[in-house]
Amino acid sequence: MAKKGVPLSEMATADTHGEDSPYFAGWKAYDEDPYDAASNPSGVIQMGLAENQVSFDLLEDYLEQHPQEFGWGCGISSFRENALFQDYHGLQTFRRAVALFMEQIRGGRTQFDPEHIVLTAGATAANELLSFILADPGDGLLIPTPYYPGFDRDLRWRTGVNIIPVHCNSSNGFQITLRALEDACTGAESMKVRVKGFLLTNPSNPLGVAITRPILEEILDFVSQKDIHLISDEIYSGSVFSSDEFVSMAEIVEARGHEERERVHIVYSLSKDLGLPGYRVGTIYSYNDQVVTTARRMSSFTLVSSQTQKMLASMLSDKEFTKNYLRTNRERLKKRYEFVVERLSNAGIRCLRGNAGLFCWMNLGELLEEPTVEGELSLWNLILHEAKLNISPGSSCHCLEAGWFRVCFANMSQQTLEVALRRMKDFTEKMKEG
Amino acid sequence: MSPTPSKKSSAAAAAATQARSSATGFGGGGGGAGMRLIVPLQGVVQGRGGLVLGTLIPCALFYFLQLYLRRNRSPPPTSPQPPAANGADLLGIVRSSSRNFLSARGSSGHAALSSRAALIARSGDSPYFVGTKKCSEDPYHPIDNPDGVIQLGLAENRLSLDLIGDWLARNVKDTLLDEWQGGLSITGLATYQPFDGLVELKMAVAEFMGQVMRGSVSFDPSQIIMTAGATPAIEILSFCLADAGNAFLVPSPYYPGYDRNIRWRAGLELIPVPCRSTDKFGLSIPALERAYNQAKMRGVKVRAVLFSNPSNPVGNLLHRETLRDLLDFVTEKGIHVIADEVFAGSIHGTEEFVSMAEVLNTDEFDRSRVHIVYGLSKDLSIPGFRIGLIYSFNEHVIAAASKLARFSSVSVPTQHLLISMLTDTKFVIRYIKTNRERLRVMYALLVNGLKQLGVESVKSSGGFYCWTDMSKYMKSYSEKGELELWKEMLNVAKIHLTPGTACHCIEPGWFRLCFTTLTEKDVPVVLERIKRLVDNH
């Protein structure tokens, strides 16, 4: 392949960034024609972005009531130290605050030691970091399907690590089975790929379901038996509609012995639960000292702004606030979810029964011309251009069953959501007639 | 079709194969032909007569480098990987370099880490860490702890923080709400915030860079990729400009962080190109030429030259002519050039700083090979806020880097704070001017004081430090002698300096002294301690 000018790396020129799927193409259509109630009411409504805007008013209220905590007070010296602080350990007060917040999400059922918290600029960086640390180029990470399309990029692009899908299907609600795990491992073996870890998203994206305790136990048994690592991406843990329905891998781990703990690493972030994606606050919580030390050093490439750390430290340590925030956020998400499912049901559309997250996993199998990827993509395209809704096709999430779509509902106002659901209803009615 | 992996000498290839077959992904692995082949070449490249294994640290560095090289020289995939398509699960999969598959139980019964992790885990105790630790355990304070350790090893600028603090005190109420609201998406729909930085910040930073370079060149915001500090900026460029196993030529002495930034994850080799005191540590094109050819003979593909200007640790500026010669060199070799200009605004001397961008402006060079790294950690004294950037003239690099910036994004509230600060032009101009003046005063105080003790420094014009020759106080003219002197300065004189070895300087006895964490009153104390040490020798 002739390259113009000075050659670049393989990495820069190949397509391993994984950003060619419809998941990303839909965003482009939205960017070019974004919906606005007043100025562009026929524009594309973005339902492909898993962001949480339902509770930002709570954050604004907090700011209003505690303004001094967000500046540097009157202390110039505290600003000085903060501006110079680039220690990859992170501000101790902030780490403690994050640990506390994570404990609060889990109803106090687990304990997090701030010394085991490694800060990164977002969960994206945390996942990539773990991929660098736990696997060598050519190794594999097992990931249950359907999964977040960004993993193709975040875990593989610069690391050279492979993703080995663990296929789940609708026969049991897409739950992970031992059989699927074993099949994936056998497949890896035959491709001569060494499996180094298993990455679980709990609650699941795109399914919107919290993983049950028996399955978590089974997974931990499995990784122990195979002597591999376990990454539990729990970035939606604060978005489980009912707090007692979430079981963190931390809970399972705390009951186990030391050796099994050493293989478990939890990823968290403030982007989803707190609706602060722009802040770039992510964390790796590992029970393995060597991973903590290594991750910390590697975090030099992805440090959290000291200003941001200071800004959020007192808010996250405020138990009154976080308790209230978590409870309210859960309620609002639950309401939204039920509203969406009901409206879809009225339109004759079934959804997987979910209990968490910022989206629902909807089935449009009946509307497909053919039960294939092509059929699914052509339906997706129709929905994008006719109904003017950007939703995420299951094939982008590596779902083997055609016809499933992820629909985000928390990144818009209630009014916009109603418009979107009406469009969906109109679209399905038209499809069924035609 | 990807380019074929660089040709390796058969011995190195054999060693690499041997290493691959015994790889367990976790430390260890035998030595062998590969190691013995590489070490003598390193000695030759650095212009020394033979191996310098006199001290533990360079030896350890060499060992880790080779271990790392062996691990990472496995050939890259021969075809570009498409995203994992549906149904074809393992399409385009990259083969493991190891033969240890899932069926084989790890003998330790404990999931091992990757070889990259193992390398990093062992990178522990450099002089920088040891010295900084001592400083934090026993910090000097004029009243509370007058015998404590004085930190001269940290290139952090405390001289002008008060100016920024004042600005904040005057503006914080307004910016606060901006930061919050900027961080929260409060429109009806979530606005997708670009990972490579808000447009307003890029515009403000481009403006600032123009002011820093004294208006000699203007910067285009669309060529900027914002990153969480200059550290990831350099790493991202490493990933974009070279493949694992390729090399960058780096004039030495150089900033120790480059070792981490280009090797750890991008897997590149860093080939030091020694600069000499006889040239006042200036960049030498013949030395670059030599290093390039030696690499070629070894079968290592050089992809870029990485240099800092103003230089860290020496503090000298490159002349326009030298920059042009460098551009000629990289053009002739068909490689890239990365200009790390993070200290561009911290000029304390009378010489003028000339940016690579300025040279490109006037001359007919192929710009697509030029990339500049900049940031606000040094010039604006805010390293904690993590604001760095890549400024590239190559649209493909800009495209790739803007995607990679997602792993190292600047926090949005911080972006908003900086937008406010940088658009306050009056403040910016006053800050740059005052900061330069304060740097000049401190530099002169320290350097003249040292001179009176008979300690000479290279005349430098920029940066936070002076590059000082203390070789006559070493017991032996060697790295061992230098490290012993360094230890004596840390433990006896109780001052923490950066030894030249840490910067890969080939002439022993040079030290970097940072003066920006001192107050004027501290300087006599520092000089007194050095005097005592000097008198003892």
Side-chain angles (χ1 to χ4, degrees):
Chain A
M1 189 197 326
K3 291 193 175 81
K4 269 205 190 151
V6 194
L8 300 184
S9 66
E10 260 306 298
M11 218 216 60
T13 48
D15 294 323
T16 8
H17 51 72
E19 287 189 5
D20 290 337
S21 71
Y23 179 77
F24 299 100
W27 286 9
K28 201 162 162 268
Y30 164 75
D31 282 340
E32 288 164 3
D33 182 19
Y35 171 85
D36 181 276
S39 60
N40 190 17
S42 61
V44 175
I45 296 182
Q46 172 67 289
M47 301 191 93
L49 186 59
E51 302 298 4
N52 182 5
Q53 285 198 286
V54 305
S55 308
F56 69 79
D57 56 313
L58 300 176
L59 298 172
E60 279 191 324
D61 288 344
Y62 189 84
L63 168 64
E64 254 176 69
Q65 288 153 28
H66 305 86
Q68 71 285 355
E69 277 152 21
F70 296 93
W72 288 277
C74 41
I76 286 186
S77 64
S78 80
F79 157 75
R80 243 193 264 261
E81 293 318 314
N82 186 257
L84 294 174
F85 185 84
Q86 51 174 333
D87 183 348
Y88 56 37
H89 287 80
L91 276 178
Q92 225 225 357
T93 47
F94 185 61
R95 269 184 290 130
R96 257 189 276 128
V98 171
L100 263 171
F101 188 61
M102 288 172 73
E103 285 174 359
Q104 194 127 31
I105 287 175
R106 291 155 183 76
R109 298 186 295 272
T110 58
Q111 274 201 314
F112 291 103
D113 176 1
E115 297 308 308
H116 282 252
I117 287 196
V118 177
L119 298 172
T120 61
T124 298
N127 281 321
E128 194 203 30
L129 222 93
L130 282 172
S131 197
F132 271 119
I133 290 175
L134 304 178
D136 282 306
D139 290 343
L141 287 175
L142 298 166
I143 307 191
T145 67
Y147 63 76
Y148 163 56
F151 282 157
D152 287 328
R153 170 198 55 214
D154 299 345
L155 304 172
R156 297 188 322 155
W157 193 10
R158 297 196 292 188
T159 62
V161 171
N162 294 302
I163 292 179
I164 317 287
V166 177
H167 285 296
C168 305
N169 59 68
S170 58
S171 64
N172 67 346
F174 293 95
Q175 288 182 327
I176 300 159
T177 63
L178 199 53
R179 174 66 192 274
L181 287 167
E182 292 288 1
D183 283 349
C185 287
T186 310
E189 227 170 291
S190 69
M191 300 290 291
K192 303 218 185 330
V193 171
R194 184 177 61 164
V195 175
K196 289 307 297 277
F198 179 88
L199 189 150
L200 172 74
T201 306
N202 176 26
S204 159
N205 174 11
L207 299 176
V209 173
I211 315 287
T212 62
R213 185 181 293 269
I215 294 180
L216 292 174
E217 300 269 9
E218 201 168 60
I219 288 170
L220 189 53
D221 289 336
F222 175 80
V223 301
S224 298
Q225 193 236 334
K226 299 291 185 187
D227 191 25
I228 61 177
H229 289 275
L230 172 59
I231 302 173
S232 184
D233 184 337
E234 301 187 353
I235 63 171
Y236 292 102
S237 48
S239 305
V240 182
F241 306 151
S242 166
S243 75
D244 51 13
E245 285 184 26
F246 174 62
V247 180
S248 166
M249 195 46 97
E251 292 176 56
I252 312 290
V253 153
E254 280 187 14
R256 301 270 183 128
H258 178 80
E259 188 198 287
E260 291 183 68
R261 280 188 215 183
E262 297 273 295
R263 60 182 82 255
V264 177
H265 324 283
I266 295 174
V267 169
Y268 188 60
S269 146
L270 301 184
S271 299
K272 309 298 181 185
D273 293 343
L274 278 184
L276 301 174
Y279 279 52
R280 312 313 302 145
V281 178
T283 173
I284 296 171
Y285 187 89
S286 176
Y287 294 90
N288 182 317
D289 286 333
Q290 199 182 2
V291 170
V292 171
T293 307
T294 309
R296 225 178 242 150
R297 289 184 183 155
M298 217 187 254
S299 72
S300 297
F301 297 109
T302 184
L303 295 177
V304 179
S305 168
S306 54
Q307 180 218 1
T308 303
Q309 292 186 50
K310 182 151 203 310
M311 215 188 192
L312 297 176
S314 42
M315 186 181 85
L316 287 183
S317 316
D318 186 331
K319 278 197 172 158
E320 268 305 307
F321 168 75
T322 54
K323 201 160 151 218
N324 178 53
Y325 179 91
L326 289 169
R327 189 188 53 229
T328 312
N329 185 49
R330 285 185 179 120
E331 281 166 11
R332 292 179 180 179
L333 288 175
K334 182 173 190 207
K335 250 174 116 180
R336 283 257 176 136
Y337 177 80
E338 285 170 350
F339 174 70
V340 170
V341 168
E342 197 200 314
R343 284 294 183 90
L344 289 175
S345 168
N346 287 348
I349 299 171
R350 289 178 299 116
C351 292
L352 180 73
R353 204 166 52 184
N355 60 352
L358 312 176
F359 32 73
C360 66
W361 187 237
M362 135 180 117
N363 189 307
L364 296 180
E366 288 178 356
L367 300 181
L368 295 183
E369 282 200 13
E370 43 179 76
T372 61
V373 173
E374 290 74 30
E376 180 184 284
L377 289 177
S378 107
L379 178 62
W380 168 78
N381 217 16
L382 262 180
I383 295 175
L384 180 61
H385 291 107
E386 285 193 17
K388 301 293 217 63
L389 299 172
N390 178 38
I391 60 180
S392 308
S395 46
S396 295
C397 307
H398 305 276
C399 182
L400 283 192
E401 291 178 29
W404 291 91
F405 292 82
R406 185 191 77 171
V407 181
C408 297
F409 55 72
N411 61 315
M412 61 191 80
S413 66
Q414 179 73 18
Q415 292 81 356
T416 308
L417 187 58
E418 288 180 20
V419 173
L421 292 169
R422 210 175 314 127
R423 287 188 189 179
M424 197 65 218
K425 181 159 198 254
D426 294 341
F427 177 81
T428 48
E429 280 173 358
K430 217 175 89 177
M431 285 285 287
K432 284 179 178 164
E433 282 166 22
Chain B
M1 191 59 204
S2 67
T4 50
S6 51
K7 293 192 180 68
K8 305 176 180 56
S9 70
S10 54
T17 317
Q18 177 197 13
R20 276 203 293 280
S21 62
S22 63
T24 56
F26 186 79
M35 186 174 194
R36 274 178 261 131
L37 178 67
I38 289 170
V39 168
L41 285 175
Q42 289 260 303
V44 170
V45 163
Q46 295 187 5
R48 292 195 180 107
L51 300 173
V52 182
L53 293 172
T55 61
L56 186 64
I57 290 165
C59 179
L61 285 173
F62 290 140
Y63 173 78
F64 297 142
L65 168 62
Q66 289 149 38
L67 201 63
Y68 187 67
L69 285 177
R70 269 193 275 118
R71 292 261 175 275
N72 288 285
R73 269 203 192 142
S74 19
T78 49
S79 56
Q81 282 173 287
N86 308 299
D89 302 341
L90 303 175
L91 189 73
I93 212 157
V94 179
R95 296 278 181 269
S96 274
S97 53
S98 163
R99 288 202 300 266
N100 282 358
F101 302 117
L102 207 51
S103 49
R105 289 280 196 97
S107 55
S108 60
H110 179 333
L113 302 190
S114 68
S115 35
R116 277 181 283 224
L119 169 82
I120 294 167
R122 288 189 300 261
S123 76
D125 295 305
S126 67
Y128 172 80
F129 286 116
V130 171
T132 303
K133 194 156 172 259
K134 279 230 152 83
C135 288
S136 59
E137 287 167 358
D138 181 20
Y140 168 79
H141 186 275
I143 300 160
D144 302 334
N145 190 16
D147 292 323
V149 182
I150 302 183
Q151 171 70 289
L152 299 168
L154 199 52
E156 227 174 51
N157 185 3
R158 290 176 178 253
L159 303 179
S160 308
L161 276 175
D162 57 313
L163 298 177
I164 302 192
D166 286 343
W167 183 90
L168 278 171
R170 278 178 282 121
N171 296 276
V172 75
K173 282 206 200 84
D174 300 325
T175 60
L176 203 54
L177 207 57
D178 281 345
E179 286 160 36
W180 261 102
Q181 292 184 338
L184 308 174
S185 308
I186 54 172
T187 53
L189 286 172
T191 46
Y192 179 51
Q193 278 152 349
F195 285 111
D196 61 330
L198 298 169
V199 169
E200 298 93 325
L201 180 62
K202 290 187 188 183
M203 284 166 52
V205 167
E207 207 34 59
F208 180 72
M209 286 168 79
Q211 280 152 353
V212 154
M213 320 279 178
R214 303 216 211 208
S216 60
V217 59
S218 70
F219 292 87
D220 179 355
S222 70
Q223 290 175 240
I224 293 178
I225 308 291
M226 302 298 307
T227 57
T231 295
I234 293 180
E235 194 196 35
I236 287 172
L237 281 172
S238 302
F239 274 110
C240 288
L241 306 181
D243 300 306
N246 293 159
F248 283 177
L249 297 178
V250 185
S252 65
Y254 60 78
Y255 162 58
Y258 287 162
D259 287 320
R260 169 198 60 199
N261 297 356
I262 79 170
R263 284 185 184 152
W264 275 16
R265 304 193 306 184
L268 306 187
E269 183 182 335
L270 197 158
I271 298 176
V273 181
C275 304
R276 298 177 184 277
S277 55
T278 42
D279 295 330
K280 298 207 182 80
F281 293 97
L283 181 71
S284 151
I285 302 292
L288 274 176
E289 187 75 50
R290 255 193 317 274
Y292 180 88
N293 292 330
Q294 278 160 357
K296 200 167 171 190
M297 282 197 305
R298 265 195 298 136
V300 170
K301 205 164 171 202
V302 171
R303 301 299 292 268
V305 174
L306 164 64
F307 73 103
S308 59
N309 178 30
S311 150
N312 180 6
V314 178
N316 48 17
L317 305 183
L318 271 70
H319 302 131
R320 203 169 261 114
E321 269 315 304
T322 317
L323 290 172
R324 283 207 204 99
D325 290 342
L326 182 54
L327 280 169
D328 280 332
F329 174 81
V330 298
T331 305
E332 193 223 325
K333 303 298 183 208
I335 62 179
H336 295 269
V337 62
I338 303 172
D340 177 355
E341 300 187 346
V342 294
F343 287 101
S346 302
I347 308 298
H348 50 72
T350 47
E351 254 186 279
E352 245 192 70
F353 171 74
V354 179
S355 165
M356 193 52 119
E358 194 192 323
V359 176
L360 280 184
N361 236 10
T362 52
D363 291 358
E364 292 295 311
F365 286 104
D366 168 21
R367 298 168 168 220
S368 68
R369 63 182 76 250
V370 178
H371 321 277
I372 295 174
V373 168
Y374 188 62
L376 302 182
S377 297
K378 305 299 182 186
D379 288 347
L380 213 53
S381 318
I382 48 174
F385 291 5
R386 314 312 303 149
I387 304 162
L389 63 104
I390 294 169
Y391 189 86
S392 178
F393 293 85
N394 185 313
E395 55 172 0
H396 301 291
V397 170
I398 292 172
S402 64
K403 293 196 178 87
L404 288 171
R406 71 185 312 107
F407 298 109
S408 308
S409 268
V410 183
S411 184
V412 166
T414 304
Q415 292 194 50
H416 281 279
L417 176 62
L418 263 305
I419 290 168
S420 303
M421 196 186 288
L422 296 178
T423 47
D424 187 343
T425 320
K426 264 176 78 182
F427 164 74
V428 163
I429 292 175
R430 195 167 61 88
Y431 174 89
I432 295 174
K433 184 159 173 280
T434 312
N435 183 45
R436 279 196 180 129
E437 183 54 32
R438 292 180 183 180
L439 287 171
R440 193 190 63 76
V441 167
M442 289 300 294
Y443 173 80
L445 261 178
L446 184 65
V447 166
N448 293 336
L450 286 171
K451 203 171 186 163
Q452 283 173 5
L453 298 177
V455 178
E456 293 291 336
S457 310
V458 170
K459 181 168 187 294
S460 81
S461 306
F464 298 163
Y465 33 75
C466 58
W467 185 240
T468 308
D469 185 2
M470 308 196 76
S471 54
K472 54 189 180 208
Y473 309 115
M474 298 190 299
K475 291 207 175 78
S476 66
Y477 189 76
S478 64
E479 282 179 28
K480 182 162 179 260
E482 179 187 292
L483 279 162
E484 276 174 6
L485 179 60
W486 172 80
K487 268 187 222 149
E488 192 187 336
M489 287 199 278
L490 182 62
N491 298 320
V492 177
K494 302 195 101 187
I495 48 177
H496 174 226
L497 321 178
T498 306
T501 342
C503 306
H504 305 267
C505 184
I506 63 159
E507 296 178 30
W510 289 87
F511 289 82
R512 186 191 76 169
L513 274 82
C514 295
F515 52 80
T516 47
T517 47
L518 302 173
T519 65
E520 290 187 33
K521 294 206 192 86
D522 296 331
V523 176
V525 181
V526 171
L527 292 172
E528 176 57 41
R529 293 185 185 191
I530 294 180
K531 182 170 190 299
R532 261 185 271 139
L533 183 141
V534 157
D535 288 344
N536 280 342
H537 282 256

